Amino acid sequence: MSNLRDHLRQRALDCATHGKTPWTGTICCARCKKPYQTEDSKAQHYAPAECSCGVTLMPASKQSKKFSARAICSTCFVGLTGTRPGKA
Ligand SMILES: [Zn+2]
Ligand SMILES: [Zn+2]
């Protein structure tokens, strides 16, 4: 998901709940707030191109601006999903 990285750029997040944390590829849908991870396509909650709410979740290309993925902190992701992001 290097395209998404190019979009998001910031590797450190300033989470309102957890403070500054390194971004580990965890995202949520801006529309329905559903959490996803982008690190491991075989693990749970891997981000699909389209969210289950029907919006485009991941940018189709570097130039693409229409996508709903927003970076969230990995601690928030664990709290939302009960699973750790990325490689198990
Ligand atoms: Zn959604
Ligand atoms: Zn957080």
Side-chain angles (χ1 to χ4, degrees):
M1 286 305 153
S2 54
N3 286 343
L4 184 68
R5 292 233 172 79
D6 289 344
H7 271 289
L8 296 173
R9 295 225 180 243
Q10 86 251 46
R11 294 290 299 178
L13 290 172
D14 205 352
C15 175
T17 310
H18 303 107
K20 272 204 167 39
T21 56
W23 186 59
T24 56
T26 45
I27 60 165
C28 75
C29 172
R31 185 181 176 193
C32 69
K33 310 295 183 213
K34 194 169 178 182
Y36 296 102
Q37 54 85 12
T38 61
E39 291 290 302
D40 187 352
S41 60
K42 290 179 185 65
Q44 282 187 73
H45 307 291
Y46 184 69
E50 191 178 281
C51 182
S52 55
C53 74
V55 299
T56 301
L57 182 69
M58 305 301 285
S61 71
K62 270 188 194 179
Q63 287 74 38
S64 172
K65 292 208 161 46
K66 245 187 78 183
F67 64 97
S68 67
R70 298 288 178 269
I72 60 168
C73 106
S74 55
T75 309
C76 284
F77 177 90
V78 173
L80 289 164
T81 64
T83 56
R84 296 196 58 77
K87 309 232 176 338

